[in-house]
Amino acid sequence: QVQLQESGPGLVKPSETLSLTCTVSGGSISGYYWSWIRQPPGKGLEWIGYVYYKGSTQYNPSVKRRVTISVHTSKNQFSLKLSSVTAADTAVYFCARGVVVPGAIGVIMGGFDYWGQGSLVTVSS
Amino acid sequence: DIQMTQSPSSLSASVGDRVTVTCQANYDIRKYLNWYQQKPGKAPNLLIYDASNLETGVPSRFSGSGSGTDFTLIISSLQPEDIATYYCQQYDNVPITFGQGTRLDIK
């Protein structure tokens, strides 16, 4: 059974960089897309971006200038870095596995079939 | 960005009721639509993929339909454990976007 677990600081100061790691167990990083999704308290879901196991990335334009998602295949992990955070970045951050589906050309990411439990990150001084 | 609009935003229903949630995209997303269930304090759980396919392990009382811009999630006979918030999600275009959610509770 595939399991994902987020880890990282729960409190980050404004203007600093939020860093989270997602460790994948029970399955391989290879062959899938790996995403970060966040949910501000009491609000809906926002996709942040994904990294394909081969290393290519796509980001939400809302955070594109501040975000880096990387894959660390040898450790079966992937990570999120979000710079210059503000209170608006306070949220529960989920890591999730994206399934690979056929696209018009090649493959694309479909739904998210496995999720971590979520990690609350608060931005506050 | 493709905007996903769910309705209603919230609804109350009785055990055994048939429940319908709709999701509308502001652009043709073909069949590239998934549905999730999220219970309080938990991660979302994939229910339906590609608009109408039931994810493994999901009860058959859940079903999905639609294509293009209009999609529907149906719970054929509401059970107490179905109390949750439901989200649709499109993956036709990046950025991936979610609906705002439909909160379902028991009347």
Side-chain angles (χ1 to χ4, degrees), chain B residues 30-72:
Chain B
R30 297 173 281 184
K31 64 170 185 176
Y32 297 149
L33 188 285
N34 303 314
W35 288 98
Y36 299 84
Q37 176 193 68
Q38 186 180 31
K39 297 184 178 180
K42 301 293 187 182
N45 181 50
L46 180 63
L47 298 176
I48 303 285
Y49 64 94
D50 294 351
S52 60
N53 295 294
L54 197 66
E55 177 72 351
T56 302
V58 174
S60 59
R61 62 181 178 273
F62 291 92
S63 65
S65 64
S67 67
T69 61
D70 295 295
F71 302 86
T72 301

Side-chain angles (χ1 to χ4, degrees), chain A residues 16-28:
Chain A
E16 295 190 343
T17 296
L18 179 160
S19 296
L20 292 172
T21 297
C22 184
T23 300
V24 180
S25 59
S28 175

